[in-house]
Amino acid sequence: MIKRILWITLAVVALISPVAADPTFYGPSGLISMPTAESLEYQQFNVGYDFRGTGKEQQGFYKFNMGMFKNVELGIVGGATPTEGVFINVKYFLISDATRYPMSFAVGLQNLASKSDTGLYLVMSKKFQGGFSGHLGFNTFISDQIDPTVMGGIEYIVSDHMSFLADFSGKQKTYTLNGGLRFAVYPDLSLRVNILDIGRQSTEGGSYYSVGLAYNRFM
């Protein structure tokens, strides 16, 4: 009964307003865990808050991103996670073709000032017919040693109001798979529900969920 009510609620809310670009679970604009090559435009910003639970503990944290200059997205992430304090994220949008289904590239730095989670990434995004977009990238964590990993994901836009997302990312040769749903509550406000580490590959105690809100607007 509860599941039926939840699905009915999702279907009704999805008819209200269009989906907008959101910050990822870890800060930069993108899918669930991985950033994409779709940066915010100049003077566009998004702010988000996520609540996550693992069954043992619950944590909340915030993120803010803004198109500071042409092709440059600057953001911060903080709260209960990361535990080291507030981190800075920077993404530079490199190039995009002018076709109907464009391919774009971006490079970025994530979690600047972290002792073990600072990462340098390169990502490519491509739109396809039928509401699909694909994303593939490489991430290198910079700590005592270089830790290069691959990341990838897809998004399927059901309508202007709802999309399904899936991605994977890795760290220290361990890859995690994530799935999620994103839909709009109002034109500038979206709700996200994610399940992270579906295969229970990380050392954080298995799969966990996150529920968050994101607000997107131009100044």
Side-chain angles (χ1 to χ4, degrees):
M1 182 65 180
I2 296 178
K3 289 184 178 180
R4 182 178 298 178
I5 294 175
L6 177 61
W7 281 109
I8 292 175
T9 302
L10 295 180
V12 171
V13 173
L15 298 176
I16 298 177
S17 51
V19 172
D22 288 345
T24 62
F25 186 77
Y26 298 106
S29 58
L31 299 178
I32 302 171
S33 66
M34 71 168 290
T36 64
E38 300 168 342
S39 297
L40 296 175
E41 298 181 31
Y42 175 58
Q43 292 190 334
Q44 182 183 9
F45 71 90
N46 60 37
V47 57
Y49 182 85
D50 281 282
F51 173 86
R52 77 173 186 176
T54 63
K56 298 180 180 179
E57 61 179 347
Q58 290 76 40
Q59 297 176 321
F61 60 103
Y62 60 88
K63 38 280 193 77
F64 173 82
N65 299 298
M66 184 173 181
M68 297 295 294
F69 310 100
K70 183 179 180 181
N71 299 337
V72 176
E73 175 184 308
L74 181 65
I76 60 172
V77 57
T81 302
T83 56
E84 296 178 58
V86 177
F87 294 156
I88 298 174
N89 301 311
V90 181
K91 184 196 294 187
Y92 178 66
F93 181 72
L94 291 174
I95 188 172
S96 176
D97 57 50
T99 61
R100 181 180 179 186
Y101 303 107
M103 178 181 294
S104 53
F105 297 87
V107 295
L109 287 168
Q110 191 169 344
N111 295 334
L112 287 174
S114 172
K115 295 180 180 179
S116 60
D117 288 330
T118 297
L120 171 66
Y121 64 85
L122 169 66
V123 63
M124 173 187 69
S125 298
K126 170 70 175 177
K127 294 184 181 295
F128 299 95
Q129 188 174 5
F132 280 96
S133 63
H135 310 270
L136 181 65
F138 301 91
N139 194 9
T140 299
F141 290 96
I142 305 170
S143 55
D144 295 335
Q145 58 183 1
I146 302 299
D147 179 24
T149 60
V150 179
M151 56 185 178
I154 60 172
E155 180 175 12
Y156 174 56
I157 300 176
V158 181
S159 68
D160 290 338
H161 318 284
M162 178 183 291
S163 66
F164 293 97
L165 308 97
D167 67 14
F168 69 89
S169 58
K171 186 178 181 182
Q172 297 179 348
K173 299 181 181 180
T174 299
Y175 285 86
T176 58
L177 176 65
N178 315 298
L181 171 68
R182 177 166 61 192
F183 57 93
V185 180
Y186 295 103
D188 299 321
L189 183 67
S190 60
L191 173 66
R192 302 163 303 159
V193 180
N194 301 317
I195 300 178
L196 294 97
D197 193 9
I198 295 174
R200 300 186 177 184
Q201 298 297 311
S202 71
T203 59
E204 296 188 11
S207 303
Y208 53 98
Y209 68 88
S210 73
V211 179
L213 290 172
Y215 182 72
N216 303 267
R217 191 162 185 175
F218 282 90
M219 295 187 65

